[in-house]
Amino acid sequence: MIIRTMNEEDLPSVHEIECSIFSKPWSAADFLDSIKNRRNIYLVVEEQDEIAAYCGLWGVAGEGQIYNVAVKQALRGRGIGCFMLSALIELGRKQGLGTFTLEVRVSNLAAIALYRKLGFKDAGVRKNFYNAPAEDALIMWLK
């Protein structure tokens, strides 16, 4: 596995994964805007010359808001998400970010377990944060 910064050439593959996983996927243009912002960090994981996973964060006021954590369905359970998020957090710390936060569907038990393994703590619930289907989000922080 190779982990590296997301670039514009990755966007078709990233968008394909995004559409296969999320009910309200970001557009390729959304990703392009995000990777062009110097305060943001977006990573991809390559395996056998294909994008296997991606994630990103927006750096704002010393905090990293984590977005777009995705691993191809067929590749889950192999530690790719942990590897990728650990690298993202490390890069964020090198850029001076002291805390990290994210929201996750309350039903996404695998993701919640991964975030807890990385040291994230539950901080609250955002009622009806998600739609398609409607669901609450668990707010988590790593300090």
Side-chain angles (χ1 to χ4, degrees):
M1 286 188 294
I2 298 169
I3 192 162
R4 62 173 174 75
T5 302
M6 185 184 294
N7 62 51
E8 194 168 344
E9 292 75 33
D10 298 323
L11 297 182
S13 296
V14 165
H15 188 250
E16 182 179 331
I17 297 168
E18 179 84 359
C19 290
S20 74
I21 294 173
F22 297 106
S23 60
K24 294 271 188 165
W26 278 25
S27 69
D30 293 331
F31 281 102
L32 182 60
D33 289 344
S34 292
I35 65 175
K36 285 184 174 182
N37 186 324
R38 296 182 58 168
R39 291 180 303 202
N40 299 345
I41 303 168
Y42 273 77
L43 303 176
V44 295
V45 175
E46 279 186 301
E47 187 173 69
Q48 299 176 1
D49 297 323
E50 288 188 25
I51 304 298
Y54 58 90
C55 64
L57 67 74
W58 294 3
V60 179
E63 297 176 356
Q65 173 68 50
I66 296 175
Y67 291 98
N68 311 102
V69 178
V71 177
K72 277 187 176 179
Q73 189 77 28
L75 301 175
R76 293 182 182 170
R78 296 180 37 202
I80 295 171
C82 188
F83 170 69
M84 176 176 69
L85 284 169
S86 295
L88 181 70
I89 292 164
E90 182 180 332
L91 286 170
R93 287 186 173 136
K94 286 180 181 176
Q95 288 190 4
L97 302 177
T99 59
F100 301 86
T101 187
L102 55 83
E103 292 94 8
V104 59
R105 285 183 181 271
V106 294
S107 65
N108 193 343
L109 301 180
I112 293 168
L114 168 62
Y115 302 143
R116 287 179 178 155
K117 178 180 176 181
L118 291 167
F120 282 83
K121 304 290 184 208
D122 301 2
V125 173
R126 294 193 199 281
K127 291 289 188 188
N128 297 311
F129 183 77
Y130 294 103
N131 51 26
E135 187 171 358
D136 297 343
L138 178 62
I139 306 163
M140 303 183 81
W141 281 90
L142 176 65
K143 298 183 180 189

